[in-house]
Amino acid sequence: MAASAPTPHATGFPTEGRCSYYVEKKKRFCRMVVAAGKRFCGEHAGAAEDFFIQDINAGLEDETEVPEQLVPISSLSEEQLENLTKKLRKASAGLDSTLKDHTMSHPALHDALNDPKNGDPAIKHLKQQASILGNIEKLNLLGPRRCFVEFGAGKGKLSHWVDIALKDAEKVHFILVEKVTTRFKVDGKHRKKNSVFERLQIDIQHLCLSKIPVLREGNLPVVGIGKHLCGVATDLALRCLVETYAASYEERNEEPLAKRIKNDKTGKEINTLTKEGNEKNVPEKWTPVAGIVIALCCHHRCDWRHYVGKEYFRALGLGAVEFHYFQRMSSWATCGMQKTSWEAADATAQGRDDGSSDGEEQDGGEHSVSDGGAHSLPELLTVEEKKKIGHLCKLLIDQGRIQYLQQKGFSPALQYYTDPSVSLENVLLTALPVHSSAPETTA
């Protein structure tokens, strides 16, 4: 009997009428049906673009470090759990767990914040957007002639408010990065001459910023922003900005623009940047990435392969196994809210505090995970003890990101940007190039 013909996947070709994107994790092509004349489905549409480079921001994968199937936290013995918490406390012993409060606001959102038509969930989102915008301005990143890249953009509301705040600033470009199709986008409403909105449907893991025409040709400094950039997406975005993009820029330019500015006694290039806007809002020296302002969340959705702080963990004697459990245990930081929601379940339908009922992107981290919740563990620790451990896990993971940014030539910081009653995920990561500094603030 003759052998049957090999399947399309076996020969290395996608099935006719199906998506041509190869899913590395599953070792096969995507099986989604594509529209007539298209090679990729909606989820992988970005793969057809020049700025799509497979796994460019994924980080190196060390097969020897990938842990085998690990038991869930709820199945750990008391001794195993105690050993993990001891390692955590030892590793975080020298860290300052008290962050500064940088809760701010911005006049651009004054009317929206005081509009009675906006309910509590919408107000919570607006307060966070106002504080992020205030912090962007405080860092002198709000100005003309730059490109704002919003990672995990969702509807694009953070970029929307940045554009409102900039008013008529010259030559401002917005790139909104979101891997899924999003309804009720607000970026389509912007039709100003001085600002351009461009939406890219692509996973940050495969995004090469240097291939985007406006960044390849325009020499615009990039400001990376994000509101509740979920877990692993933060690491992918950081690597996308300060590693792959910055490195590719230096490769393209034998003499960086910052050096040309320094050597040019006429100062023509500096004047080009400053003449169209407030001089204090233009970086002192031009760099590919002018700054980063990202609201963090969902540490339990981090991934060891993509994590930018591996070197930091290894220096502490920690590895992939500890990281796996610490990122799961980080969800305990919000288990107090879980308790509140159980107590309020019979009294109100609004047991959650994340404001996600308005249909916006989630405020991240408050949703439960399968094996790390406070209710799924043996009763070895109190809720308060679990919350403290969860916060230490978050702090340790974030400290690895801080060290990574420092090694890449940035001055990073962690701070609270909103009250826990607004969002339990209330930590903001900011970073400026080391030669740049934020203005002094008065008490």
Side-chain angles (χ1 to χ4, degrees):
M1 184 177 178
S4 59
T7 64
H9 290 153
T11 58
F13 297 100
T15 303
E16 185 177 351
R18 305 284 176 166
C19 181
S20 296
Y21 181 83
Y22 187 76
V23 185
E24 185 66 34
K25 186 176 181 179
K26 297 182 179 179
K27 305 298 181 185
R28 62 168 175 77
F29 288 95
C30 172
R31 293 170 180 165
M32 292 292 291
V33 176
V34 297
K38 302 290 184 181
R39 290 181 57 216
F40 300 96
C41 65
E43 178 74 13
H44 301 122
E49 305 290 347
D50 289 340
F51 51 75
F52 179 98
I53 298 181
Q54 183 79 34
D55 294 332
I56 187 171
N57 303 313
L60 299 176
E61 184 173 16
D62 188 342
E63 296 292 344
T64 63
E65 285 195 293
V66 178
E68 297 179 2
Q69 189 66 35
L70 297 170
V71 299
I73 296 177
S74 55
S75 300
L76 293 177
S77 67
E78 183 174 355
E79 182 181 359
Q80 289 173 317
L81 185 60
E82 186 177 349
N83 286 336
L84 278 173
T85 54
K86 281 182 178 178
K87 287 183 178 182
L88 174 65
R89 290 192 174 100
K90 181 181 178 181
S92 57
L95 302 181
D96 185 2
S97 60
T98 305
L99 305 182
K100 292 182 179 179
D101 186 354
H102 283 195
T103 301
M104 305 185 75
S105 191
H106 196 280
L109 287 93
H110 178 270
D111 291 345
L113 285 167
N114 291 281
D115 188 344
K117 294 180 181 179
N118 288 323
D120 287 344
I123 290 296
K124 288 181 178 180
H125 282 290
L126 290 167
K127 284 181 176 179
Q128 293 171 74
Q129 290 155 351
S131 185
I132 294 172
L133 186 54
N135 277 278
I136 292 173
E137 185 172 58
K138 181 181 179 182
L139 294 170
N140 285 341
L141 296 174
L142 199 63
R145 292 186 60 81
R146 62 200 65 200
C147 178
F148 292 89
V149 180
E150 182 179 358
F151 294 95
K155 299 174 187 177
K157 289 194 174 180
L158 182 55
S159 290
H160 163 79
W161 290 115
V162 171
D163 188 51
I164 296 295
L166 285 170
K167 297 180 180 178
D168 295 320
E170 293 286 337
K171 298 182 180 180
V172 179
H173 202 101
F174 292 91
I175 296 176
L176 282 62
V177 182
E178 177 59 60
K179 73 174 183 178
V180 297
T181 302
T182 307
R183 300 177 64 195
F184 309 117
K185 298 182 287 288
V186 298
D187 38 295
K189 299 178 182 179
H190 293 266
R191 295 288 185 270
K192 294 196 305 185
K193 292 182 180 179
N194 296 330
S195 61
V196 177
F197 279 72
E198 182 178 0
R199 180 173 284 266
L200 307 182
Q201 187 175 333
I202 185 173
D203 192 317
I204 304 169
Q205 183 170 333
H206 314 301
L207 173 61
C208 181
L209 288 177
S210 62
K211 296 290 186 180
I212 298 173
V214 69
L215 295 179
R216 185 176 64 241
E217 301 162 6
N219 279 339
L220 293 176
V222 167
V223 180
I225 61 175
K227 173 177 174 283
H228 291 300
L229 194 56
C230 212
V232 66
T234 295
D235 297 298
L236 295 173
L238 293 179
R239 189 176 285 110
C240 176
L241 288 167
V242 307
E243 192 168 331
T244 56
Y245 176 60
S248 66
Y249 182 86
E250 294 300 331
E251 289 174 2
R252 295 200 316 268
N253 298 270
E254 293 181 2
E255 185 181 25
L257 182 57
K259 185 177 179 181
R260 295 202 301 272
I261 291 175
K262 184 177 179 181
N263 292 337
D264 186 359
K265 294 181 180 179
T266 65
K268 291 180 180 178
E269 294 195 53
I270 291 179
N271 290 335
T272 303
L273 285 172
T274 60
K275 68 182 180 181
E276 298 173 80
N278 191 338
E279 184 172 349
K280 75 174 186 178
N281 282 337
V282 178
E284 205 172 277
K285 293 181 181 178
W286 196 93
T287 57
V289 179
I292 299 169
V293 181
I294 293 175
L296 305 172
C297 84
C298 297
H299 294 69
H300 63 272
R301 298 185 69 179
C302 291
D303 184 280
W304 176 252
R305 179 195 173 185
H306 305 307
Y307 180 50
V308 296
K310 286 181 182 178
E311 186 176 324
Y312 175 74
F313 260 61
R314 290 176 184 135
L316 294 170
L318 305 173
V321 174
E322 289 82 8
F323 181 85
H324 169 83
Y325 284 117
F326 290 168
Q327 55 104 349
R328 301 302 291 178
M329 290 158 66
S330 70
S331 66
W332 296 355
T334 57
C335 66
M337 183 216 59
Q338 264 186 336
K339 179 182 177 182
T340 302
S341 67
W342 300 335
E343 293 171 349
D346 295 330
T348 176
Q350 295 181 344
R352 287 170 56 83
D353 201 23
D354 61 2
S356 59
S357 59
D358 68 342
E360 282 206 53
E361 59 276 5
Q362 291 181 348
D363 266 355
E366 287 98 338
H367 50 277
S368 62
V369 291
S370 59
D371 63 8
H375 61 292
S376 64
L377 277 167
E379 294 302 318
L380 305 176
L381 301 166
T382 66
V383 169
E384 285 303 314
E385 287 173 331
K386 291 167 187 170
K387 285 172 64 177
K388 289 179 181 178
I389 289 172
H391 282 296
L392 280 181
C393 290
K394 284 176 174 285
L395 182 63
L396 193 65
I397 291 171
D398 288 339
Q399 193 60 36
R401 292 164 170 168
I402 291 291
Q403 187 192 74
Y404 171 80
L405 287 168
Q406 289 172 337
Q407 292 174 341
K408 297 299 179 182
F410 284 77
S411 176
L414 296 169
Q415 55 263 307
Y416 295 121
Y417 77 99
T418 194
D419 190 82
S421 63
V422 175
S423 175
L424 290 172
E425 297 283 17
N426 62 340
V427 175
L428 189 70
L429 171 64
T430 61
L432 295 173
V434 288
H435 59 68
S436 177
S437 60
E440 292 185 3
T441 57
T442 56

